[in-house]
Amino acid sequence: TIMIFPGMKLYIETTLCIFTILFSLFGYVTSIGDVIYAINAGGEAHTDSLGVRYERDPLQGKVGTASDYGKRLLIGRVPPNDHILYQTERYHHNTFGYDIPINEDGDYIMILKFCEVYFNAPNMKVFDVVLNGDHTIVPDLDIYDRVGNGIAHDEYIPFNVVKGRLYYNEEESDIRGGKIRVEFIKGYRDNPKINAIAVIKGNFHYIPKLPAIPTEPETEEYREEVEDKKSGKNRRPSGPRTPDPYSVDDSSIMLPVFVAIGAFIPLLFCLCKL
């Protein structure tokens, strides 16, 4: 017989609780697939809200410029723990990219994380993203035009690997040296950039997506419509203004009457003398 003291009982319950939490977290992470590559561009290592471990940027001190300018913003669309993935970035005045090891056949999803933290208008930063030198996976990316300033934006790129070849949208290319390359192409509008990258081996449908951006009603137009319904004075009919028939001067109509009365008075005076 094993005697369990109150203190031991509390210890056992606490230990079981911890194991349950760890098991649940592990099960959730593995359910989205096998994370084979994840880096926090322009920043340090970080574990996100899903338990995915993003490593320190491998291009640190080698290519491009690391920036944490986005730390002045609270990033929309993601939980606070994930803000750092969108607050740091790497940009370059020329085309740059990352080499990603691929050692097995199967289905993969590349998640490219972006956030516009500098510009406040569209058409200021526009660039392409190319996979493995042959596949334009994101053409003419204008982050602000997609989501605005300080809002997380993810691009989900599914692809397949079969016997050393990469397949994307019915196109194929060779995998050389057991690595594929994702590149951010310099265009005519500012510099290409990336905030974070993750590559997961698994089914695309099981990958958690960012929530939809809430849409706000056109408040100004809505207010004008309400005011028009409340007051007919705000409604302006088209075409020339119709004159008010009651505002016409009546003097021209009464003139003959005054002339007749003026002529009749002397005649009446003469008749009275007779």
Side-chain angles (χ1 to χ4, degrees), residues 55-190:
E55 300 298 334
R56 183 175 184 265
D57 190 345
L59 296 186
Q60 188 68 32
K62 298 178 181 179
V63 177
T65 302
S67 171
D68 62 357
Y69 186 77
K71 285 185 176 180
R72 66 189 180 88
L73 299 175
L74 295 176
I75 308 302
R77 214 179 176 188
V78 292
N81 184 59
D82 295 344
H83 285 192
I84 191 64
L85 293 176
Y86 299 89
Q87 291 171 329
T88 61
E89 65 181 49
R90 179 165 299 279
Y91 67 88
H92 194 29
H93 61 270
N94 207 340
T95 296
F96 74 103
Y98 291 82
D99 294 319
I100 302 169
I102 297 289
N103 299 316
E104 298 179 356
D105 292 354
D107 299 329
Y108 293 86
I109 304 94
M110 177 179 289
I111 305 173
L112 303 173
K113 296 183 178 292
F114 299 97
C115 184
E116 181 53 67
V117 299
Y118 185 77
F119 292 112
N120 286 292
N123 208 35
M124 302 297 291
K125 179 190 290 291
V126 183
F127 58 94
D128 294 342
V129 183
V130 173
L131 178 61
N132 218 31
D134 292 322
H135 317 287
T136 301
I137 53 179
V138 188
D140 298 324
L141 177 61
D142 186 337
I143 305 168
Y144 185 91
D145 185 60
R146 298 282 185 94
V147 296
N149 179 272
I151 307 295
H153 173 68
D154 288 359
E155 293 282 348
Y156 305 94
I157 312 299
F159 63 93
N160 310 98
V161 173
V162 179
K163 296 181 179 180
R165 296 190 65 80
L166 183 148
Y167 294 84
Y168 171 78
N169 276 357
E170 299 182 354
E171 301 174 351
E172 58 183 282
S173 59
D174 290 326
I175 298 177
R176 299 178 180 178
K179 295 181 179 180
I180 62 174
R181 184 171 178 82
V182 57
E183 292 182 294
F184 306 92
I185 309 301
K186 169 69 176 180
Y188 293 104
R189 294 181 178 87
D190 201 65

